[in-house]
Amino acid sequence: MLIKFELNGKRYEMEADPAARLLDFLRDEMGLTGAKEGCGEGECGTCTVIVDKRAVHSCLMLTGQIDSRSLLTVEGLAESDGSLSPLQKAFIKHGAIQCGYCTPGMLMSAAALLYENPDPTEEDIRTAIAGNLCRCGDYSAISRAVKEAAAVLRSAKEEACPNE
């Protein structure tokens, strides 16, 4: 099947197996290995990516479902100049990264939240990352990182658009 999609800001048109899991397509066909295979059942969140600004478990989505859609993976989270995003910087600063296995999915769930809600409460953050399991990290550090990134992003937006 010919599919057209945007991935990390770049447009693609290519033949793909529409019945393949999106996780496998991203890793095997696109060479993007940030999304991890965890449970394969949508329970752990290690495979989380953003599709049309919403967090999805790529192990449960089929490649055919991305036709005419926009995707963002952890590889596309960095700024256009290659520097880390405010969210990535905050995760590092707050020690929200331990072994790193869950980190890409956690970052993507948090990024999807910040697209939707630029000023999330603690409860909003907990709800957004509820689909992501972390066995060795500190959920409170993740929450602090998301709150700090939200503040940085709001400040940057206010500086860029002072009259909004």
Side-chain angles (χ1 to χ4, degrees):
M1 170 181 174
L2 181 67
I3 59 171
K4 299 176 186 177
F5 59 98
E6 182 180 300
L7 175 61
N8 297 335
K10 184 176 177 187
R11 295 196 181 281
Y12 291 87
E13 185 173 325
M14 59 191 295
E15 287 291 328
D17 177 359
R21 294 184 316 165
L22 178 58
L23 175 62
D24 298 325
F25 174 75
L26 292 171
R27 292 179 65 82
D28 300 339
E29 302 301 321
M30 303 306 294
L32 300 173
T33 58
K36 306 289 187 247
E37 172 84 47
C39 65
E41 298 175 352
E43 295 293 327
C44 71
T46 61
C47 67
T48 303
V49 298
I50 296 175
V51 177
D52 294 336
K53 296 191 175 185
R54 300 199 63 115
V56 301
H57 293 151
S58 63
C59 71
L60 298 179
M61 190 168 196
L62 299 177
T63 301
Q65 293 176 290
I66 67 168
D67 191 38
S68 302
R69 298 179 87 178
S70 176
L71 287 81
L72 182 67
T73 68
V74 73
E75 291 89 351
L77 203 55
E79 301 293 329
S80 58
D81 66 0
S83 63
L84 296 178
S85 71
L87 185 59
Q88 291 168 309
K89 289 176 185 175
F91 263 60
I92 293 167
K93 176 181 175 184
H94 289 279
I97 300 171
Q98 292 291 318
C99 78
Y101 198 78
C102 73
T103 304
M106 200 68 79
L107 282 165
M108 299 315 291
S109 291
L113 168 65
L114 296 177
Y115 285 138
E116 184 178 308
N117 181 353
D119 192 12
T121 64
E122 181 76 22
E123 183 64 27
D124 294 333
I125 295 167
R126 288 177 189 223
T127 299
I129 64 172
N132 298 78
L133 298 178
C134 179
R135 301 208 194 284
C136 62
D138 177 0
Y139 284 93
S140 61
I142 293 166
S143 183
R144 285 191 305 273
V146 175
K147 288 291 270 183
E148 179 173 308
V152 168
L153 291 168
R154 283 193 313 275
S155 177
K157 183 177 180 182
E158 289 169 7
E159 288 177 18
C161 306
N163 295 329
E164 278 191 26

